[in-house]
């Protein structure tokens, strides 16, 4: 389990993910080497999955984001595996989630414009295996997109 120092480290990393290791160590009142060992431990425990760049897709010209809710034809026992493997190959699919219930999979798809989305949908999405039903929800606005939690 996490101790108080681990929680403080995680809170600071969430608050300012761009802070350098020495600055973070100073803020926490510890040495950089001790902080590095703690971060390594958190990564080994799979609490920290690593650092990543958060990309503003709109700034790169991707103005359309569509959420596709997919129900699979589960009469084939390999339906999930084959669908997921094929969906991973579509570059514009930026997120894949699986669910229990009526909807089996949700895909987040980005495109430059509606024409580009239509091309992706026709050439790639509709060719995915084992689709029984598909529903598209076009994102109008992102109201909250936080990954930070109170620790």
């Amino acid at each position: 389990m996490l101790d108080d120092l681990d929680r403080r480290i995680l809170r600071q990393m969430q608050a300012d993910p761009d802070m350098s290791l020495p600055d973070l160590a100073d803020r926490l009142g510890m040495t950089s080497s001790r902080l590095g060992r703690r971060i390594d431990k958190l990564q080994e425990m799979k609490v920290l999955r690593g650092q990543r760049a958060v990309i503003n897709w709109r700034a790169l010209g991707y103005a359309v984001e569509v959420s596709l809710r997919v129900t699979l034809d589960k009469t084939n026992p390999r339906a999930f595996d084959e669908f997921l493997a094929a969906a991973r190959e579509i570059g514009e699919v930026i997120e894949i989630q699986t669910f229990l219930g009526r909807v089996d999979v949700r895909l987040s798809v980005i495109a430059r414009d509606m024409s580009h989305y239509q091309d992706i949908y026709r050439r790639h999405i509709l060719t995915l295996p084992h689709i029984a039903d598909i529903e598209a929800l076009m994102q109008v606005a992102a109201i909250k997109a936080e990954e930070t939690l109170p620790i």
Side-chain angles (χ1 to χ4, degrees):
M1 293 307 296
L2 300 180
D3 63 17
D4 184 53
L5 181 55
D6 292 330
R7 285 193 268 300
R8 287 179 40 225
I9 292 168
L10 293 173
R11 279 193 297 270
Q12 291 299 318
M13 291 179 84
Q14 284 186 135
D16 189 356
D18 296 326
M19 188 181 306
S20 70
L21 195 67
D23 290 342
L24 180 57
D26 285 344
R27 181 171 284 177
L28 294 165
M30 59 193 308
T31 66
S32 293
S33 61
R34 182 172 174 221
L35 175 60
R37 287 191 300 273
R38 283 292 187 132
I39 289 173
D40 289 344
K41 182 186 89 169
L42 290 168
Q43 288 174 333
E44 288 169 16
M45 294 170 51
K46 308 264 189 248
V47 172
L48 279 177
R49 296 185 302 185
Q51 296 179 342
R52 62 183 175 163
V54 179
I55 299 169
N56 177 356
W57 295 110
R58 290 191 185 275
L60 294 177
Y62 289 87
V64 173
E65 183 171 346
V66 179
S67 179
L68 298 174
R69 296 179 185 176
V70 180
T71 302
L72 299 176
D73 173 9
K74 294 175 279 296
T75 58
N76 181 328
R78 301 242 339 117
F80 268 92
D81 295 335
E82 292 173 5
F83 177 88
L84 295 174
R88 282 186 187 100
E89 298 300 316
I90 302 171
E92 293 84 359
V93 172
I94 60 171
E95 185 176 20
I96 302 172
Q97 297 176 331
T98 59
F99 296 93
L100 294 174
R102 190 177 63 80
V103 172
D104 296 311
V105 181
R106 188 187 71 80
L107 305 177
S108 286
V109 180
I110 58 170
R112 291 184 298 277
D113 52 35
M114 284 306 293
S115 177
H116 183 219
Y117 171 72
Q118 188 174 31
D119 183 58
I120 294 164
Y121 187 77
R122 288 181 178 166
R123 290 188 328 116
H124 299 291
I125 302 299
L126 289 179
T127 64
L128 291 171
H130 311 295
I131 295 176
D133 188 37
I134 190 165
E135 177 186 13
L137 301 170
M138 185 171 183
Q139 181 178 354
V140 175
I143 307 303
K144 182 177 180 182
E146 292 291 324
E147 293 188 10
T148 59
L149 291 172
I151 299 175

